[in-house]
Amino acid sequence: MRAIHGADMLTKDQLNKLTLNLNRGRYETVIIESRRLIKLNPNVAGLYEILGLAYSQSGETKNAVKFFQRALKIMPSLGSARFNLAKVYFETGKITQAISTLRDLTSNDYQTELVRHLLGIALFQNGDFIAAANEFNEVLELSPRNHEALFYLGQIARAQGDNNNALDCFLGVLEIDPEHFESAFNIGNIYRDKSCLAKALSWFEWALKIKPDHLQALMNRGTVQVLLGHQEKGIKDFEDCLKINPYFMDAYQNLSTAYLHLRDFVAAEKILDSAIQQNPDFVDAVFAKFGLLA
């Protein structure tokens, strides 16, 4: 069997077998065999990268970082190892290191869309919205139907108070992927904040068709229903929230308020009692009950 260049004792079959086992999730097997082969081939960067991937996939991030770094020490131009190192940094919350590592990759053509997309997310999480927007716009230049990049641009616009641009972005996402829950949910929130309640309601209903048990979407739809004067429908949404999560304190508060709109003071007090029973430290419910009894 012909040996790989620079690795006198490493064959293509051995490398392919490692990759196959890695793809099949046999991480312990890959770790053992990679370490054995590294002893025989200490200067093959790809072996260290495969070992780093096995450690990364098995949750041993410190080892993953160590072996990706060793791969890069042998071959600094190994873009895949640098990208995988950046992913580990990102996934373990080391955002600044992830950004620095990804920026090293933007100077070459390695997987440009993937690199810029992850860099955009890292910058977004780091609060650098302008730089993040630049990266996501670059992604859209490369791939105009990358709806996740468009969604992040919507989030950035929303964070900057530009709700009109945010709406355009979220609507653009839904044109590509009508099942994108977060976009429909965000549109509902924007219209709710603008007091366009009928529009908000329709978008929360769209979101709930995608994720019927999403607590915050149910809560928001219920709140809009109450504001529109549909108290019974609002009550149903709040009750559904509590069926899903009996400890969702805000649902008790809103449910009590909805009964107050109906002037059903007994039901309102009963709901507040249930909230206090679930969480005696829920101050809002305690004060609300005090207000009822005053």
Side-chain angles (χ1 to χ4, degrees):
M1 184 68 65
R2 186 169 63 85
I4 295 175
H5 178 69
D8 293 339
M9 302 183 69
L10 181 65
T11 66
K12 286 184 178 180
D13 276 355
Q14 288 173 317
L15 197 60
N16 289 340
K17 188 175 180 180
L18 283 175
T19 304
L20 183 63
N21 281 326
L22 184 68
N23 292 337
R24 290 178 174 175
R26 298 170 181 168
Y27 305 128
E28 188 62 32
T29 299
V30 174
I31 290 168
I32 293 169
E33 183 62 9
S34 295
R35 283 185 170 277
R36 185 185 74 82
L37 290 171
I38 283 171
K39 289 179 181 178
L40 300 173
N41 308 272
N43 297 314
V44 180
L47 281 175
Y48 293 95
E49 182 180 13
I50 288 173
L51 184 53
L53 284 166
Y55 277 123
S56 174
Q57 293 299 316
S58 57
E60 298 185 49
T61 54
K62 286 185 179 179
N63 276 328
V65 168
K66 179 171 72 173
F67 286 106
F68 288 141
Q69 288 175 337
R70 286 188 184 179
L72 290 167
K73 187 175 181 180
I74 295 168
M75 187 183 294
S77 63
L78 189 57
S80 56
R82 197 170 299 278
F83 182 68
N84 286 318
L85 176 61
K87 284 176 64 180
V88 173
Y89 284 145
F90 178 81
E91 290 163 2
T92 54
K94 297 177 180 178
I95 304 300
T96 302
Q97 288 163 281
I99 291 170
S100 176
T101 305
L102 289 164
R103 285 199 186 282
D104 289 339
L105 280 170
T106 58
S107 59
N108 62 43
D109 293 329
Y110 173 78
Q111 298 281 348
T112 305
E113 183 181 341
L114 286 174
V115 170
R116 291 196 175 277
H117 188 83
L118 185 57
L119 178 56
I121 297 173
L123 289 164
F124 177 84
Q125 290 193 4
N126 209 40
D128 192 344
F129 295 147
I130 293 174
N134 288 338
E135 296 302 326
F136 290 125
N137 280 316
E138 288 286 343
V139 171
L140 289 171
E141 285 289 326
L142 296 165
S143 179
R145 291 184 63 81
N146 187 319
H147 64 280
E148 289 298 332
L150 190 57
F151 173 72
Y152 273 103
L153 286 173
Q155 286 188 297
I156 291 168
R158 183 102 160 101
Q160 294 174 328
D162 187 352
N163 283 329
N164 289 332
N165 189 23
L167 275 173
D168 287 342
C169 290
F170 296 139
L171 288 168
V173 172
L174 289 166
E175 285 181 12
I176 300 168
D177 179 11
E179 297 294 306
H180 197 276
F181 167 83
E182 291 291 346
S183 290
F185 180 63
N186 273 282
I187 293 172
N189 288 332
I190 290 171
Y191 280 125
R192 178 203 58 192
D193 295 347
K194 288 183 170 187
S195 296
C196 300
L197 299 180
K199 286 186 177 180
L201 178 59
S202 68
W203 283 103
F204 288 135
E205 287 178 345
W206 183 323
L208 285 163
K209 285 179 182 177
I210 302 168
K211 291 187 178 182
D213 295 334
H214 191 277
L215 279 173
Q216 198 58 55
L218 278 168
M219 172 72 82
N220 291 3
R221 185 177 70 178
T223 301
V224 170
Q225 295 279 27
V226 169
L227 291 171
L228 286 168
H230 308 154
Q231 311 300 334
E232 291 83 0
K233 290 181 179 179
I235 287 170
K236 173 69 166 56
D237 279 339
F238 301 142
E239 287 177 340
D240 285 345
C241 286
L242 292 172
K243 287 177 184 176
I244 297 168
N245 181 1
Y247 297 95
F248 191 19
M249 294 296 109
D250 287 345
Y252 287 104
Q253 185 79 10
N254 286 6
L255 184 54
S256 174
T257 301
Y259 276 119
L260 285 176
H261 279 288
L262 293 173
R263 305 192 65 78
D264 189 340
F265 301 107
V266 174
E269 183 180 357
K270 184 178 179 182
I271 292 300
L272 292 172
D273 285 338
S274 296
I276 295 166
Q277 184 178 1
Q278 292 286 9
N279 181 5
D281 297 325
F282 186 35
V283 177
D284 288 346
V286 174
F287 276 113
K289 183 177 179 182
F290 179 80
L292 275 177
L293 298 176

